[in-house]
Amino acid sequence: MKLTELRQLTGSFDNWQKAINNKELDLVEVAESLENLLQLVQDKYQAFITIRERSEILKELRENVEKRRPLLGWPFTMKDIFITKGIRTTASAKLLEDYIPPYSSTVYKRLQKAGGTLMAKTNCDAWGFGASTENSDFYPSRNPYDPTRVPGGSSGGAAVAVATGVSSFDISEDTGGSIRQPAALSGVTGFKPTYGSISRYGAIAFSSSLDTVGIIGRRIEDIIRVFSLIKGPDKLDATVYPQQKLTQLMLPSKLRNLTIGYLPEIMKEGVDKEILQAINEVKDFYKQELGVIFKEVKLPHFKYGVATYYVLAPSEASSNLSRYDGNRYGCDRTAFTDEAIRRIIIGTFSLASGYYDAYYLQALKVRRLIYEDFLRAFNLVDVLLLPTTPTSAFKIGEKSGDPLQLYLQDIFTIPASLAGVPGISFLVRLSSRGLPLGLQLVGPHFKEDLLTSLIAFWQEKKKTHLVYPQIEDE
Amino acid sequence: MSNKQLKFQPVIGLEIHVELKTKAKMFCRCSADHFHTPPNTNICPVCLGLPGAMPYPNLKALEKTLLIAHLLHCRINRISRFERKHYFYPDLPKGYQLTQYLYPMGYQGYLEVEGKRFFIRRVHQEEDTAKLKHQRLKSRLVSLVDFNRSGVPLVEMVTEPVFDNSQDVVAFLKKLQRLLRFYEVSSCDMEKGSMRLEANISLRPEGSKELPDYKVELKNINSFRFLAEAIDYEIKRQTQLLSQGKEVTQETRGYNSVKKFTFSQRVKEEAQDYHYLLEPDIPPVYLSDEVVEKVRKTPDYSQLIGKWIKLGWPKTVVNNLLIRQGQLEWWQELETTVQEEGLDRHKLGHFLLKNKGSYYLKDISKLIARFKEDEKIINNVDQLVKVVKEVVANNPKAVADYQKGKESAIYFLLGQVRYRLGKVNVQTTLQQLRDVLTDEKSKK
């Protein structure tokens, strides 16, 4: 099977289901192709930390098909921060290089039950600390539209796996933009639901009050399908919201009277022209097709997002990483690399007595203001349209010498994380240089149905979920 | 003015930790039973602090802590939040302990002991650490970690510095132990480590109202008696130092219970910074009206105990035998029988005390039958006198020894009476023996 044929199957669950039901697929051949193509993507883009054995993939494929589990074996990948029993889990950190966990994360268990076939664990910035995968302790992943550029991060390998079409979807995590930003830079759909939708049990913690399990995929219908299989209460994660409704797509007729807010103020500086153009294109599209009303809104504390985030997230990270004290996991603390050390120091400092009030507590207060900004905005508009990133994918090495430049990558994604509201990044089109341009829709808590319905309508008309990078030697 | 003229007054505050009697641990569903369980058998990713594991609070434990706060007349925080207290130690797998720092479950309470009120600063919920075992293994000195105890629910109680002597401290602790055992919130077993004591002690000039500018922490002492001894020792030691115009070092001290002295364990140069962080993995737990009401309706201990004493049961019997709330039903049943049959509560009470723990105590009808039988034997003075006389007549050597002044010979005779009768009242029998022996002597 060639990559183009595999893309038919990974790109749409309907196609996969049809092929399985009509017994068009030789699973032995599928497993072999998957292994070869995973290896191809690995060689070119270094998307994975661990690729599973072909025999294991085949065994699970067969079982999932035979037992008629809901996903019928649809092959997927997971960011390497999710604990998978018996399968090495590293968080792309040297410190956990040889860690084979004795248990499984809730989300992995639910996917096993739902009949997804895990093929590989995807590369990311170590511990999720970064926006390019250049902070992976193993190797950076590469953008499939231009291998000299980054795929985004921290879930860069995940975005690559889905963008190349080798993986149907990737279970990822977004703390300040780690799903949405790589999805935008790699041309796929990045779905960060409301904080507390999906159990975090077994997701190696970065910043617990921000970490949100989500999905990188293509077709929004498929993302909703996976979402509904993994979300909901878990007796092992007290932060999961207990009463969640089913997320369902709304009919276009129901979208007609919506109001979408946009934020010209935040886009005055540093935003690429083509991204501003993309905003206008999307606005025009929804106006023309659905008669949606666009309204200018202000989020006065939006601009403090990055500063707030880089106090809160490192504070929690310094605490979450304190379990790697050198007594367990076979590595001492010298195995931590620069970005982790930087965040541990920042976090430890801001939690120190005497500095706590000035930094950590102050940041908590600003977080509250940002949250209130969103609530106020959602009194005026139904959802917000904003850039996912200020620019399209940048060159590997371009920002790695300057952490602050890299932190600014998340300027548009961080506020939604701080407020805990859902955000989805979707592909608008490719830029003049052939690089993906993504935008995000952000909605009120637990209003994923609004966001997904709008994006589903876009995909239906524009077919952007079918855009793939050209991969040589195909 | 030299310090020699000054008299000093001790200032003592207590920190008490108790493990709660719950089935499951505080933040996972592992069994909380860790005493004499094979090492590392009640463990899971949560209490091992594995990557990705998350805490899920045990509401039953929170209810028990609420009960403790209520029993200590505390003000209650209806919202329970947890904080991470960071420090590095091999028995702390997450690198932090979950505790309640800003929002203790209870605060500003008191416990009344023999008419005195001792004020409580705070009562809060936390989790226990793993247990370290330092031993030789294949000729190497190793430290082993047993995680069975990791995450067992722990409650910390802190008093204000309101004690000025060791007797009050012990009386307070005994009352506290009795209370917590009575309501079955903790076994408070010091040998098993389910109750742990720490005392902070310093001295100030008599009459002064200010707190001294130092304190000595007494730690790792596992009996009330040893704690009292250590406090008394410290009072002497510190008095001596201060009288000589010296300073007392702020430090943690242990107690050598064999050689009876305290010794320095660790000198604290400065207060440790724990980098407290509100635990983001546990949303605030709201104690429902239902739970709070249930706890508020808990019957008062002194009233419960008082009721039985008023009925005519001896105080020592009630204090020693009515030790768990769960026994009240049994006592009610016993009281009914006593009233129906017109039994003597004093005698029955002492009979119970003597036979504490006997199997037939549970079955009230068997118990009463046995009691009556005993009474019959003991009360049958005629038979006793007859047997005593026979024993004296049959054991001339022992009688002669006794007459020569060998007092212990009487116990041989007592044994003989016992052998004949099976059960006797020792005091009555000894009295009878003495009477008969005196008669014998005067006969000669």
Side-chain angles (χ1 to χ4, degrees):
Chain A
M1 195 189 291
K2 282 189 170 172
L3 185 55
T4 42
E5 293 169 79
L6 181 67
R7 283 172 173 175
Q8 297 289 318
L9 300 169
T10 55
S12 152
F13 180 71
D14 292 342
N15 291 349
W16 175 266
Q17 192 174 30
K18 219 178 286 162
I20 292 288
N21 288 346
N22 298 342
K23 300 200 165 49
E24 292 162 13
L25 293 178
D26 175 358
L27 294 181
V28 178
E29 196 202 326
V30 171
E32 193 187 329
S33 309
L34 283 174
E35 191 190 37
N36 293 338
L37 295 169
L38 285 164
Q39 202 51 57
L40 173 81
V41 168
Q42 177 69 346
D43 292 345
K44 283 182 160 296
Y45 310 110
Q46 300 174 139
F48 309 111
I49 296 293
T50 304
I51 299 175
R52 296 184 76 193
E53 294 282 326
R54 188 205 306 183
S55 58
E56 287 172 21
I57 295 176
L58 178 61
K59 188 177 152 239
E60 286 185 18
L61 260 179
R62 276 190 172 137
E63 199 181 302
N64 287 324
V65 171
E66 273 163 24
K67 297 206 168 148
R68 302 290 306 165
R69 292 186 180 131
L71 288 176
L72 294 168
W74 208 29
F76 75 103
T77 50
M78 280 182 120
K79 186 177 183 177
D80 206 25
I81 57 127
F82 290 99
I83 296 290
T84 44
K85 185 176 177 177
I87 303 169
R88 185 169 75 126
T89 302
T90 69
S92 295
K94 274 270 182 224
L95 201 142
L96 291 178
E97 188 168 9
D98 300 316
Y99 182 57
I100 297 174
Y103 78 105
S104 281
S105 49
T106 296
V107 61
Y108 180 47
K109 276 191 183 162
R110 288 189 181 172
L111 277 164
Q112 282 179 307
K113 210 178 141 202
T117 305
L118 179 68
M119 302 182 293
K121 305 289 292 292
T122 48
N123 190 25
C124 56
D125 291 293
W127 312 106
F129 298 166
S132 65
T133 72
E134 289 165 291
N135 291 336
S136 165
D137 284 350
F138 300 104
Y139 31 73
S141 299
R142 295 170 181 279
N143 195 305
Y145 286 89
D146 177 353
T148 66
R149 291 174 188 271
V150 302
S154 64
S155 316
V160 175
V162 176
T164 53
V166 71
S167 175
S168 311
F169 61 91
D170 187 283
I171 301 298
S172 281
E173 192 168 49
D174 187 311
T175 303
S178 283
I179 282 178
R180 290 162 289 159
Q181 187 258 14
L185 300 195
S186 299
V188 288
T189 313
F191 174 76
K192 180 197 98 77
T194 308
Y195 178 84
S197 299
I198 304 172
S199 170
R200 285 184 290 122
Y201 185 80
I204 295 176
F206 161 12
S207 176
S208 313
S209 76
L210 295 158
D211 291 346
T212 308
V213 180
I215 301 155
I216 292 181
R218 288 185 165 270
R219 245 173 108 231
I220 209 82
E221 286 92 333
D222 292 333
I223 288 175
I224 294 175
R225 180 185 303 276
V226 174
F227 181 49
S228 47
L229 288 166
I230 58 176
K231 72 172 182 175
D234 178 16
K235 288 220 166 76
L236 297 167
D237 177 357
T239 65
V240 178
Y241 188 71
Q243 289 137 347
Q244 295 181 40
K245 281 191 219 143
L246 209 65
T247 304
Q248 278 176 315
L249 286 186
M250 299 152 71
L251 291 172
S253 58
K254 300 252 172 168
L255 301 172
R256 282 188 193 283
N257 294 321
L258 292 183
T259 310
I260 299 182
Y262 67 105
L263 307 121
E265 210 173 346
I266 62 160
M267 297 185 292
K268 275 180 189 159
E269 272 174 67
V271 182
D272 193 286
K273 258 190 200 149
E274 285 199 81
I275 290 189
L276 294 176
Q277 277 170 19
I279 292 257
N280 286 330
E281 284 165 41
V282 172
K283 269 164 78 175
D284 290 344
F285 169 82
Y286 284 124
K287 270 187 204 161
Q288 280 161 21
E289 299 285 334
L290 291 168
V292 163
I293 300 154
F294 275 84
K295 204 169 178 177
E296 194 179 318
V297 288
K298 281 182 183 158
L299 297 175
H301 303 93
F302 197 95
K303 55 178 179 268
Y304 303 115
V306 172
T308 306
Y309 178 87
Y310 277 100
V311 173
L312 292 180
S315 297
E316 292 184 18
S318 72
S319 169
N320 283 326
L321 292 184
S322 54
R323 68 189 58 194
Y324 310 106
D325 57 3
N327 284 321
R328 286 164 292 265
Y329 314 111
C331 276
D332 67 18
R333 286 178 278 187
T334 58
F336 279 121
T337 43
D338 285 355
E339 189 57 27
I341 292 169
R342 190 174 293 125
R343 296 196 188 198
I344 290 169
I345 291 172
I346 294 172
T348 306
F349 177 80
S350 78
L351 289 175
S353 68
Y355 299 100
Y356 181 92
D357 289 3
Y359 292 95
Y360 182 73
L361 196 63
Q362 187 68 11
L364 276 185
K365 289 175 185 167
V366 181
R367 180 179 189 174
R368 180 77 198 184
L369 294 175
I370 292 171
Y371 169 85
E372 284 169 1
D373 275 1
F374 275 100
L375 294 194
R376 226 172 285 124
F378 291 130
N379 275 331
L380 302 171
V381 299
D382 295 294
V383 300
L384 296 168
L385 172 69
L386 61 162
T388 310
T389 55
T391 62
S392 53
F394 49 91
K395 292 266 186 188
I396 291 175
E398 187 183 324
K399 295 178 197 287
S400 58
D402 186 351
L404 288 179
Q405 272 303 307
L406 205 55
Y407 293 173
L408 288 174
Q409 264 299 301
D410 288 335
I411 188 166
F412 296 125
T413 47
I414 278 172
S417 294
L418 291 169
V421 292
I424 308 178
S425 178
F426 61 105
L427 176 65
V428 177
R429 61 173 167 83
L430 297 183
S431 72
S432 53
R433 280 187 292 192
L435 294 174
L437 295 172
L439 295 179
Q440 60 172 331
L441 284 177
V442 173
H445 294 101
F446 297 107
K447 291 280 188 186
E448 283 82 1
D449 48 357
L450 270 184
L451 306 178
T452 50
S453 302
L454 282 166
I455 294 169
F457 186 74
W458 168 273
Q459 288 184 339
E460 173 82 27
K461 299 277 177 189
K462 299 283 189 176
K463 306 291 177 202
T464 45
H465 58 293
L466 299 177
V467 175
Y468 287 92
Q470 286 283 322
I471 296 180
E472 290 165 50
D473 313 323
E474 263 175 38
Chain B
M1 190 172 77
S2 147
N3 276 337
K4 269 179 193 167
Q5 276 88 45
L6 281 177
K7 280 204 154 190
F8 294 103
Q9 181 196 29
V11 182
I12 306 166
L14 300 174
E15 267 179 55
I16 304 122
H17 284 90
V18 296
E19 278 180 355
L20 292 180
K21 229 180 187 177
T22 51
K23 280 202 185 100
K25 291 186 181 181
M26 189 61 224
F27 298 109
C28 60
R29 304 291 85 83
C30 288
S31 165
D33 184 18
H34 63 85
F35 191 71
H36 281 175
T37 49
N40 296 313
T41 48
N42 292 331
I43 53 168
C44 76
V46 178
C47 49
L48 285 173
L50 294 186
M54 294 173 71
Y56 199 105
N58 178 347
L59 295 181
K60 286 272 185 290
L62 285 172
E63 281 178 31
K64 293 207 170 190
T65 306
L66 177 66
L67 177 57
I68 294 178
H70 170 76
L71 295 172
L72 298 178
H73 307 95
C74 285
R75 291 163 170 245
I76 304 294
N77 265 319
R78 288 284 290 265
I79 302 173
S80 265
R81 295 221 62 169
F82 288 92
E83 274 123 322
R84 297 177 176 185
K85 178 184 180 180
H86 299 87
Y87 63 93
F88 288 112
Y89 210 68
D91 65 8
L92 196 67
K94 300 189 291 290
Y96 52 82
Q97 178 193 34
L98 290 182
T99 181
Q100 295 179 326
Y101 173 63
L102 283 176
Y103 312 103
M105 177 83 82
Y107 57 103
Q108 291 179 13
Y110 66 88
L111 179 62
E112 203 167 290
V113 187
E114 290 153 17
K116 281 190 216 170
R117 268 187 189 185
F118 297 101
F119 291 99
I120 311 277
R121 185 177 292 169
R122 54 188 287 138
V123 173
H124 69 255
Q125 179 82 67
E126 52 187 38
E127 58 173 339
D128 213 341
T129 60
K131 205 168 188 174
L132 293 179
K133 215 175 154 191
H134 309 285
Q135 65 176 57
R136 199 170 278 279
L137 195 75
K138 290 177 188 160
S139 81
R140 272 199 322 152
L141 272 175
V142 293
S143 295
L144 303 171
V145 194
D146 176 6
F147 287 94
N148 285 349
R149 199 181 69 178
S150 173
V152 167
L154 202 61
V155 172
E156 180 173 326
M157 289 158 270
V158 183
T159 73
E160 295 292 344
V162 285
F163 300 91
D164 60 10
N165 66 76
S166 61
Q167 294 97 299
D168 281 354
V169 166
V170 171
F172 173 90
L173 289 171
K174 280 189 172 165
K175 172 83 182 268
L176 181 68
Q177 185 186 46
R178 193 176 299 153
L179 263 184
L180 300 186
R181 281 179 173 168
F182 186 79
Y183 291 102
E184 296 180 66
V185 284
S186 172
S187 64
C188 288
D189 205 326
M190 266 168 308
E191 278 96 75
K192 291 181 184 174
S194 63
M195 185 178 201
R196 292 166 226 163
L197 315 171
E198 282 163 51
N200 290 309
I201 168 162
S202 46
L203 302 184
R204 66 180 165 204
E206 209 167 60
S208 163
K209 295 251 186 259
E210 274 171 50
L211 286 179
D213 58 359
Y214 74 94
K215 63 186 179 187
V216 171
E217 216 176 318
L218 291 171
K219 259 191 168 173
N220 304 321
I221 298 173
N222 67 349
S223 97
F224 294 155
R225 187 160 63 90
F226 294 155
L227 183 69
E229 287 175 8
I231 288 173
D232 291 340
Y233 182 89
E234 270 306 300
I235 293 173
K236 262 190 228 153
R237 187 183 72 91
Q238 293 182 22
T239 305
Q240 208 167 20
L241 283 171
L242 293 173
S243 302
Q244 291 164 356
K246 289 180 184 164
E247 276 187 13
V248 181
T249 314
Q250 170 135 336
E251 62 185 347
T252 301
R253 296 177 75 87
Y255 182 62
N256 184 324
S257 59
V258 179
K259 295 184 177 165
K260 312 281 180 202
F261 64 86
T262 67
F263 59 92
S264 177
Q265 284 184 319
R266 191 159 60 107
V267 178
K268 274 189 188 174
E269 305 243 312
E270 54 192 84
Q272 197 174 347
D273 187 351
Y274 292 116
H275 295 90
Y276 283 103
L277 171 71
L278 268 177
E279 169 57 282
D281 285 336
I282 305 173
V285 182
Y286 295 85
L287 296 171
S288 69
D289 291 347
E290 206 181 321
V291 168
V292 174
E293 262 326 291
K294 200 177 104 191
V295 166
R296 283 207 177 118
K297 281 183 187 147
T298 307
D300 180 69
Y301 176 76
S302 7
Q303 278 180 17
L304 277 179
I305 293 295
K307 179 192 155 190
W308 297 93
I309 293 169
K310 264 186 217 148
L311 279 168
W313 292 90
K315 208 173 172 181
T316 47
V317 172
V318 178
N319 278 341
N320 282 299
L321 294 183
L322 185 46
I323 51 171
R324 288 200 312 271
Q325 197 182 15
Q327 297 167 325
L328 281 171
E329 215 172 297
W330 184 90
W331 276 85
Q332 195 55 59
E333 209 182 312
L334 184 69
E335 174 60 24
T336 310
T337 315
V338 165
Q339 285 178 10
E340 279 168 9
E341 304 200 13
L343 299 171
D344 183 332
R345 291 186 187 85
H346 192 81
K347 282 183 180 163
L348 179 56
H350 283 285
F351 170 78
L352 285 173
L353 202 53
K354 209 167 62 187
N355 294 289
K356 197 160 85 175
S358 295
Y359 68 96
Y360 56 82
L361 279 181
K362 282 180 196 138
D363 185 329
I364 286 178
S365 57
K366 271 190 199 163
L367 160 75
I368 297 294
R370 189 68 189 262
F371 169 67
K372 283 180 180 165
E373 199 184 309
D374 260 37
E375 284 297 290
K376 215 184 276 168
I377 294 166
I378 290 166
N379 291 334
N380 198 337
V381 181
D382 289 349
Q383 196 192 0
L384 180 65
V385 172
K386 187 172 158 247
V387 172
V388 163
K389 280 183 176 160
E390 282 171 18
V391 165
V392 168
N394 294 340
N395 291 286
K397 185 169 181 304
V399 172
D401 285 348
Y402 180 78
Q403 309 293 25
K404 276 183 230 157
K406 195 176 165 191
E407 186 67 25
S408 62
I410 199 166
Y411 293 102
F412 171 78
L413 297 171
L414 172 67
Q416 295 301 307
V417 178
R418 259 198 187 150
Y419 179 74
R420 293 272 304 274
L421 290 174
K423 195 147 202 167
V424 294
N425 181 314
V426 174
Q427 290 311 320
T428 318
T429 311
L430 282 174
Q431 195 50 51
Q432 285 296 333
L433 275 168
R434 284 198 187 95
D435 288 353
V436 173
L437 287 166
T438 317
D439 285 352
E440 283 285 309
K441 204 177 180 183
S442 57
K443 268 185 212 164
K444 285 177 184 171

